[in-house]
Amino acid sequence: MSDDQNQEPSSQSRLTYAPAGEQPDDLELDTLVREIIGRVADKWTMLALETLTEHGPLRFTRLGELIGGVSQKMLTKTLRQMEADGLVTRTVFPVIPPRVEYRLTELGLSLSEAFCGVWIWAEQHRTTIAQARQTFQERRAASDA
Amino acid sequence: MSDDQNQEPSSQSRLTYAPAGEQPDDLELDTLVREIIGRVADKWTMLALETLTEHGPLRFTRLGELIGGVSQKMLTKTLRQMEADGLVTRTVFPVIPPRVEYRLTELGLSLSEAFCGVWIWAEQHRTTIAQARQTFQERRAASDA
DNA sequence: TGCGCCAGGTACCCAAAGGAGAGTAACGTG
DNA sequence: CACGTTACTCTCCTTTGGGTACCTGGCGCA
């Protein structure tokens, strides 16, 4: 094996693994996909997505109530990000008191559908997971003793 | 609807929205599912899941290389959590130097399949998202001016 | 005239996420 | 006898996530 492609001088001192060799265009695509995954695979994003899918267009406060346990700050931040990514539209009605409506776009709806499988998985396997955690705890407790 | 369950005294001063009224058992299930989602919908978990699905059983360092950009610390933490949730098995071969193999369980594989739709979604819509971000930035720059 | 309404913005703060680097065990090889 | 090997753990540090609280604006209402 020629190691001329391997540009790490000493095999040590690299504690964060660099991506293993790939074609540059594949790597580029991969990076982009990862970045997207990192953004949409967010707790609040997923919850907002699901809530909007279930209840249709909602205004700010109502959406917060339905999601539950979210602070204004995070709700605002999450919705701004989703808006930036084109997952929701934000419509401001110039009335007093203000009224802002959040509505899923086609893109947002398609993501919601893609995530649907994960929700179903979580519901179906929750008991299995709970059980796995139980046995894992017990085994660790046993190995500690 | 009776609001005798609604114990907020003044509608103000509650900046984090409490979950809107639901049946207690539904709420319990919901909490559990949310907790699961919060754990599996993690960046490193998803990447590890996908890597193990694509490459089959892997040992620690190789898995880190294939995932790319992950530190040992996070890799260890992620794998421990996945093990605790029953998504992977961790097999230690008592040899020198140590050899540890990580392998997806049936549960892990099923989750991977559930996530598959999200990966496909991300790949399919990446240009749309990039475009949405572009226009969002431009609109914000325009409104600033 | 002053409070409440909705949808935030902003400042302050703490906790968790996560990276960098060193250390470790136990053996094989030079 | 020192070095490399793997799969970690540990400490130190910075960054981010996220909660609490206080502020605005314009109108209706008491």
Side-chain angles (χ1 to χ4, degrees):
Chain A
M1 269 192 240
S2 67
D3 55 347
D4 48 13
Q5 292 213 82
N6 205 345
Q7 62 272 59
E8 352 191 17
S10 69
S11 54
Q12 202 61 14
S13 87
R14 169 83 65 249
L15 282 314
T16 295
Y17 305 111
E22 227 177 315
Q23 302 317 312
D25 46 344
D26 278 11
L27 195 142
E28 195 180 345
L29 189 151
D30 213 53
T31 304
L32 213 139
V33 169
R34 273 159 196 242
E35 195 263 352
I36 292 171
I37 290 289
R39 277 177 80 147
V40 298
D42 168 67
K43 183 186 169 189
W44 298 128
T45 303
M46 289 186 63
L47 289 172
L49 212 59
E50 202 234 1
T51 304
L52 284 170
T53 305
E54 274 194 6
H55 296 83
L58 291 166
R59 50 198 301 193
F60 186 82
T61 304
R62 182 66 183 145
L63 180 54
E65 287 170 359
L66 288 172
I67 290 176
V70 64
S71 66
Q72 301 174 336
K73 188 175 138 184
M74 286 315 296
L75 185 55
T76 304
K77 194 179 165 188
T78 303
L79 288 171
R80 284 288 130 74
Q81 180 137 330
M82 291 175 74
E83 191 195 357
D85 289 344
L87 301 178
V88 296
T89 57
R90 178 171 174 273
T91 312
V92 183
F93 297 92
V95 295
I96 302 293
R99 173 191 173 86
V100 179
E101 193 185 80
Y102 292 92
R103 179 189 295 262
L104 279 186
T105 61
E106 282 293 318
L107 187 65
L109 189 64
S110 66
L111 175 58
S112 180
E113 284 167 7
F115 261 126
C116 187
V118 182
W119 286 99
I120 292 171
W121 179 91
E123 283 179 30
Q124 281 181 345
H125 297 89
R126 65 198 152 81
T127 54
T128 311
I129 293 167
Q131 208 170 359
R133 288 183 189 172
Q134 189 83 18
T135 55
F136 183 78
Q137 291 298 329
E138 283 165 10
R139 262 196 305 166
R140 220 175 47 161
S143 68
D144 278 357
Chain B
M1 269 192 234
S2 66
D3 54 348
D4 48 11
Q5 294 214 72
N6 206 343
Q7 64 273 57
E8 355 192 17
S10 70
S11 54
Q12 202 63 16
S13 85
R14 168 86 61 247
L15 284 314
T16 296
Y17 305 110
E22 223 176 318
Q23 301 320 310
D25 46 342
D26 278 12
L27 195 142
E28 195 180 342
L29 190 149
D30 212 52
T31 305
L32 212 141
V33 170
R34 273 159 195 240
E35 195 263 352
I36 292 172
I37 289 289
R39 277 178 80 149
V40 299
D42 168 68
K43 184 187 170 190
W44 297 128
T45 303
M46 289 186 64
L47 290 171
L49 212 59
E50 202 234 3
T51 305
L52 285 170
T53 304
E54 274 194 5
H55 295 84
L58 291 166
R59 50 199 299 193
F60 186 82
T61 305
R62 183 65 183 145
L63 180 54
E65 287 171 359
L66 288 172
I67 290 176
V70 65
S71 66
Q72 297 178 335
K73 187 175 140 183
M74 286 316 295
L75 185 54
T76 303
K77 193 179 166 188
T78 303
L79 289 172
R80 283 290 131 75
Q81 179 137 330
M82 291 173 75
E83 192 195 355
D85 288 347
L87 301 177
V88 295
T89 57
R90 177 171 174 272
T91 313
V92 182
F93 296 92
V95 295
I96 302 291
R99 173 189 172 87
V100 179
E101 194 186 79
Y102 293 92
R103 181 189 295 262
L104 279 187
T105 60
E106 282 293 317
L107 187 64
L109 189 64
S110 68
L111 175 57
S112 180
E113 284 167 7
F115 263 128
C116 187
V118 182
W119 286 101
I120 292 172
W121 179 89
E123 283 180 28
Q124 281 181 345
H125 297 89
R126 62 197 155 81
T127 54
T128 312
I129 293 166
Q131 207 169 0
R133 287 181 189 173
Q134 190 81 21
T135 54
F136 183 78
Q137 291 297 332
E138 283 166 8
R139 261 195 306 165
R140 220 176 47 161
S143 68
D144 278 359

